[in-house]
């Protein structure tokens, strides 16, 4: 029965996805110059902006408060507009509701930042097309047999409602030709069980949390899948180029990275040739704004109809851009560096990226996850690892850290091995924990 259901579902779904991707692909072939892209984005922005201030109370107030025009004629004009943050979206839920219309559902975001936001949503075919435009370039097709190292059961509620939602998810996984393995537990025991399930399932695609994928390959360094997947698909956190290389070599497969969020949906996918991110400029206007530390923040505007429009939104990510990527609309991203909260300011005034600290530790092959704790006057590096770290490895981390970061030679740094690191309700591991 399930085989027939899957075949029927896949045929319909596949045709619809291909059709939508062809439409989007045609748009990309027509608008090939920065000027043509900007003209398209200005036109779409004005449509979305008018809808926003006419139907969403927050934007109506925002427009009056800041004296904003009804439309723009140049993207440079947006440089004078204020930004919306997660804190703005937390003030009054009534301001986020569309007058006279109810949402089809809700998205909850902010699980890894500690700033939860609940926004109404509509079904958007453009989101689905973006997903597959990015994946198809790696040979990933709808219906491909996929092992999914993931988990969203924290969103399912409790009691009977939870049981029903879990069953619904299981049915969707069957129809999507997918096996789901929870990524909440990254211990060696759990990841070796995940390997056994994956090996039996024999997927064409290996997908999941970036951090879970690293734990998976490091916990199973002594063995390989019988059949290598044709592609890897990771999201929910950036990977360094070194970590990407490690995963590609372990699985013997090309690696595809997705950049998106619950509130902004899918914004970019990596390019199979360069490894850089290509933005979906017809659905998202991404703009880089310098902060007080001269770092580039990603400011997002969605250019397609949404129940709650996303306009000049500070998503909380920093970007690494090429030197020639100075346009008001970001089209290519070298790396997604992290969030403002990932900048650590030590008590001696030294500022460092948290990723710099974790990179010092992740080069130890037995380490599966890293978290930085900042109690007063010291820096603690918590790690999950397969087996006990040796004294030599502790010294190596300390020496490497002092070599990379200036001004920390005499700063108290501790490397602590833990059975489990602190996690969000979504099962993600926050990189930085600031202890009071």
């Amino acid at each position: 029965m399930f085989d027939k259901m899957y075949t029927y579902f896949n045929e319909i779904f596949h045709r619809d996805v291909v059709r939508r991707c062809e439409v989007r692909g045609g748009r990309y072939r027509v608008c090939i110059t920065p000027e043509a892209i900007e003209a398209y984005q200005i036109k779409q922005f004005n449509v979305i902006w008018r809808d926003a201030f006419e139907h969403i109370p927050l934007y109506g107030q925002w427009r009056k408060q800041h004296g904003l025009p009804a439309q723009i004629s140049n993207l440079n004009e947006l440089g004078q507009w204020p930004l919306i943050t997660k804190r703005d979206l937390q003030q009054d839920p009534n301001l986020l509701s569309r007058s006279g219309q109810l949402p089809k559902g809700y998205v909850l975001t902010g699980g890894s930042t500690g700033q939860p936001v609940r926004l109404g949503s509509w079904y958007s075919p453009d989101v689905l097309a973006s997903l597959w435009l990015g994946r198809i370039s790696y040979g990933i097709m709808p219906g491909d047999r996929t092992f999914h190292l993931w988990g969203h059961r924290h969103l399912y509620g409790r009691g009977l409602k939870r049981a029903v939602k879990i069953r619904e998810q299981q049915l969707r996984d069957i129809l999507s030709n997918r096996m789901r393995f929870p990524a909440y537990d990254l211990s060696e025991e759990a990841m070796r069980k995940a390997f056994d399930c994956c090996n039996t399932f024999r997927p064409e695609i290996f997908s999941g949390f970036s951090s879970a994928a690293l734990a998976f390959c490091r916990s199973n360094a002594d063995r390989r899948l019988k059949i290598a997947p044709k592609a890897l698909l990771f999201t929910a956190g950036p990977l360094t180029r070194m970590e990407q290389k490690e995963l590609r070599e372990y699985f013997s497969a090309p690696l595809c990275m997705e950049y998106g969020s619950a509130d902004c949906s899918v914004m970019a996918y990596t390019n199979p040739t360069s490894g850089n991110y290509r933005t979906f400029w017809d659905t998202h206007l991404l703009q880089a704004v310098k902060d007080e530390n001269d770092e580039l923040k990603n400011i997002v505007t969605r250019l397609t109809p949404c129940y709650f429009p996303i306009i000049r939104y500070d998503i909380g990510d920093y970007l690494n851009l090429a030197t020639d990527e100075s346009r008001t609309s970001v089209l290519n991203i070298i790396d997604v560096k992290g969030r403002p909260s990932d900048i650590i300011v030590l008590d001696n005034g030294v500022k460092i990226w948290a990723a710099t600290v974790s990179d010092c530790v992740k080069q130890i092959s037995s380490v599966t996850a890293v978290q930085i704790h900042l109690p007063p006057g010291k820096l603690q590096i918590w790690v999950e690892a397969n087996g006990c770290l040796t004294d030599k490895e502790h010294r190596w981390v300390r020496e490497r850290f002092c070599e990379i970061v200036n001004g920390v030679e005499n700063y108290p740094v501790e490397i602590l091995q833990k059975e489990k690191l602190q996690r969000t309700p979504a099962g993600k591991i926050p990189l930085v924990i600031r202890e009071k």
Side-chain angles (χ1 to χ4, degrees), residues 21-305:
C21 288
E22 286 174 347
V23 171
R24 296 278 298 280
R27 186 180 298 150
Y28 294 147
R29 287 190 293 272
V30 171
C31 297
I32 58 176
T33 66
E35 293 75 20
I37 291 172
E38 181 168 340
Y40 179 89
Q41 291 180 321
I42 291 171
K43 178 181 177 182
Q44 288 300 112
F45 177 88
N46 286 332
V47 171
I48 296 301
W49 171 231
R50 177 168 292 278
D51 171 71
F53 70 70
E54 287 183 351
H55 297 104
I56 304 293
L58 175 69
Y59 286 114
Q61 293 183 8
W62 201 51
R63 184 190 176 204
K64 291 179 181 178
Q65 179 183 350
H66 299 286
L68 302 177
Q71 62 180 19
I72 62 169
S73 57
N74 191 300
L75 292 183
N76 286 322
E77 297 173 31
L78 295 178
Q80 306 303 315
W81 285 40
L83 305 180
I84 280 187
T85 66
K86 284 186 171 66
R87 183 167 296 179
D88 295 318
L89 303 184
Q90 292 170 319
Q91 301 304 315
D92 184 354
N94 294 322
L95 296 178
L96 313 182
S97 298
R98 183 174 285 269
S99 52
Q101 290 179 284
L102 294 175
K104 297 296 183 182
Y106 292 91
V107 295
L108 182 67
T109 183
S112 58
T113 64
Q115 293 181 291
V117 176
R118 186 171 181 260
L119 298 176
S121 65
W122 282 335
Y123 168 74
S124 174
D126 286 303
V127 173
L128 192 61
S130 292
L131 283 171
W132 290 108
L133 274 169
R135 297 174 185 185
I136 287 172
S137 63
Y138 285 84
I140 303 173
M141 298 298 294
D144 279 347
R145 197 170 176 80
T146 302
F147 183 81
H148 206 42
L149 195 57
W150 203 262
H152 281 315
R153 292 196 176 184
H154 65 291
L155 300 177
Y156 291 169
R158 298 179 180 179
L160 180 60
K161 180 181 178 182
R162 175 183 176 84
V164 170
K165 286 196 172 185
I166 289 174
R167 292 292 179 267
E168 288 176 348
Q169 181 63 69
Q170 290 172 340
L171 179 59
R172 284 196 296 270
D173 286 343
I174 291 171
L175 294 175
S176 301
N177 204 16
R178 178 171 58 199
M179 172 182 279
R180 184 183 301 265
F181 193 94
Y184 300 110
D185 184 356
L186 301 184
S187 67
E188 182 176 8
E189 180 183 4
M191 290 298 98
R192 290 186 79 84
K193 287 181 181 178
F195 179 96
D196 293 336
C197 290
C198 184
N199 211 24
T200 301
F201 188 62
R202 298 190 176 189
E204 298 171 274
I205 310 300
F206 187 99
S207 172
F209 287 159
S210 300
S211 58
L214 281 173
F216 180 96
C217 73
R218 291 177 176 181
S219 297
N220 296 285
D222 58 330
R223 49 186 184 169
R224 292 294 185 273
L225 298 174
K226 292 177 182 177
I227 299 177
K230 68 177 181 180
L232 311 174
L233 173 61
F234 299 129
T235 183
L239 291 166
T240 66
R241 294 299 173 107
M242 184 178 296
E243 290 167 345
Q244 292 181 30
K245 180 174 182 290
E246 178 182 348
L247 289 165
R248 285 196 302 268
E249 291 178 350
Y250 177 83
F251 288 101
S252 299
L255 185 150
C256 174
M257 290 292 295
E258 174 188 300
Y259 177 42
S261 68
D263 40 7
C264 295
S265 78
V266 185
M267 295 177 277
Y269 265 82
T270 49
N271 182 322
T273 303
S274 67
N276 295 347
Y277 290 89
R278 294 184 295 192
T279 64
F280 295 120
W281 52 259
D282 58 334
T283 60
H284 291 78
L285 169 61
L286 305 188
Q287 297 179 294
V289 175
K290 285 188 178 181
D291 70 356
E292 64 278 6
N293 296 310
D294 218 28
E295 297 285 352
L296 296 174
K297 294 193 297 184
N298 184 19
I299 307 303
V300 182
T301 299
R302 286 187 66 170
L303 299 177
T304 54

